[in-house]
Amino acid sequence: MKAVRPTDPPRDPSNPPTPYVGRFAPSPSGPLHAGSLVAALASYLDARAHRGRWLVRLEDIDAPRTVPGADRIILRQLQALGMHWDEPPVWQTQRHAFYRQAFDQLLAARRTYPCHCRRGQLPPGPYPGTCRPQPGKPPPPADAPAADARRPAWRFIAAPGVEHFRDRWLGPQSQDVAGEVGDFIIRRADGLWAYQLVVVVDDGLQGITDVVRGADLLDSSARQRQLARALGLPCPRLLHVPLRLDSQGRKLSKQNHAPALDTRQPLAALQQAWADLGFAPLTAHNTPAFWADATGQWARRFA
Ligand code: GLU
């Protein structure tokens, strides 16, 4: 796949941008909450600290989890907090053609195969490769009628060996994808494109240089790097920020009924997220001052 870069907006020549492109990629399964703000704040600060561009991508590909109207609420919340995107937001549900093209590329390269295993039948741990095609036997075409009537899921053939990378917050990381995860799903049995595929395609085609997100997604990173390489896309740099936990030590999330973020007091919400990242409180009395101070501190640590 070729990375398509949109034309740059006009810039102040005395303050040239760096090639940095970051993104915030919320799933619109509900409004932003205190936990998702931490990821949004970190990705925004990193982009501003690098004088880069910051994009917003609405990850609404998982239609059953999408809540109608949550996308608009999220965008309004970001604006209320003073977070401004540098290109119009994109919605994954409008990008099926890109995912199809990537899938076809993996199919042609024989890096994906249909899988009829049902989740409940599989042992815990890595996928044992039950449906993996035998060497020398070509995989069936993507839309061929399956041997059994159920639609298959499609798995990506994990590359053998340990995947090493550096996380800008957490330091050196490694994972043996084939050994610890096994071949993983890129197209679900219900026909939906899986998160792992769409995030890699989107980051690649949007020219994302830096992924900044919550540490719950660290475990996906090695898989995503393998997929990017298989698609001929660059691997972005990574920075995973600590998760905000609820009083029972669980990740604050929509599934755990985290309340929607109240953006009527933007400074208080931002200060809280800043503290959740482990920084000392800022003396800023309004949001522009908060952004100036926080960006400066972030730049000293990460840029
Ligand atoms: N859409 C994902 C989420 O809301 C984030 C994906 C990513 O940043 O890679 O958890």
Side-chain angles (χ1 to χ4, degrees), residues 68-207:
D71 51 354
R72 295 283 156 197
I73 296 175
I74 292 172
L75 293 176
R76 275 203 302 274
Q77 289 175 306
L78 293 174
Q79 280 172 322
L81 294 162
M83 301 165 87
H84 306 293
W85 41 90
D86 296 309
E87 283 172 24
V90 300
W91 276 258
Q92 286 183 325
T93 44
Q94 292 168 11
R95 298 168 63 82
H96 284 287
F98 295 127
Y99 311 139
R100 173 92 234 177
Q101 196 189 330
F103 177 77
D104 288 345
Q105 195 179 329
L106 295 173
L107 194 65
R110 298 194 179 175
R111 287 298 296 271
T112 184
Y113 62 86
C115 171
H116 292 275
C117 299
R118 283 190 171 164
R119 206 192 305 237
Q121 299 168 336
L122 289 170
Y127 177 66
T130 320
C131 294
R132 198 193 252 224
Q134 299 312 309
K137 190 171 154 243
D143 295 318
D148 83 45
R150 281 176 292 128
R151 259 167 115 175
W154 287 79
R155 289 186 186 267
F156 174 77
I157 300 183
V162 178
E163 181 75 32
H164 294 276
F165 59 97
R166 202 183 76 82
D167 185 273
R168 294 172 51 221
W169 185 293
L170 298 165
Q173 305 291 320
S174 59
Q175 188 181 49
D176 175 355
V177 178
E180 293 172 39
V181 181
D183 298 342
F184 57 90
I185 291 178
I186 53 169
R187 187 175 192 182
R188 297 166 18 174
D190 61 8
L192 290 178
W193 305 111
Y195 159 70
Q196 305 294 357
L197 180 75
V198 296
V199 79
V200 167
V201 171
D202 286 338
D203 285 342
L205 295 187
Q206 292 191 288

Side-chain angles (χ1 to χ4, degrees), residues 208-261:
I208 302 299
T209 60
D210 286 79
V211 167
V212 177
R213 59 187 177 190
D216 53 327
L217 293 167
L218 177 66
D219 185 60
S220 291
S221 300
R223 272 173 274 177
Q224 292 171 7
R225 287 170 57 86
Q226 286 204 352
L227 262 179
R229 276 203 304 277
L231 289 165
L233 296 168
C235 295
R237 296 195 304 169
L238 297 166
L239 191 160
H240 288 89
V241 292
L243 294 183
R244 188 182 150 125
L245 304 177
D246 68 13
S247 53
Q248 282 139 62
R250 298 174 306 184
K251 178 198 167 191
L252 208 61
S253 71
K254 290 157 207 163
Q255 286 84 352
N256 294 340
H257 311 292
L261 190 72

Side-chain angles (χ1 to χ4, degrees), residues 28-52:
S29 52
L32 284 186
H33 52 77
S36 40
L37 176 59
V38 174
L41 172 67
S43 75
Y44 191 75
L45 285 175
D46 203 46
R48 293 293 169 253
H50 285 86
R51 289 184 284 109

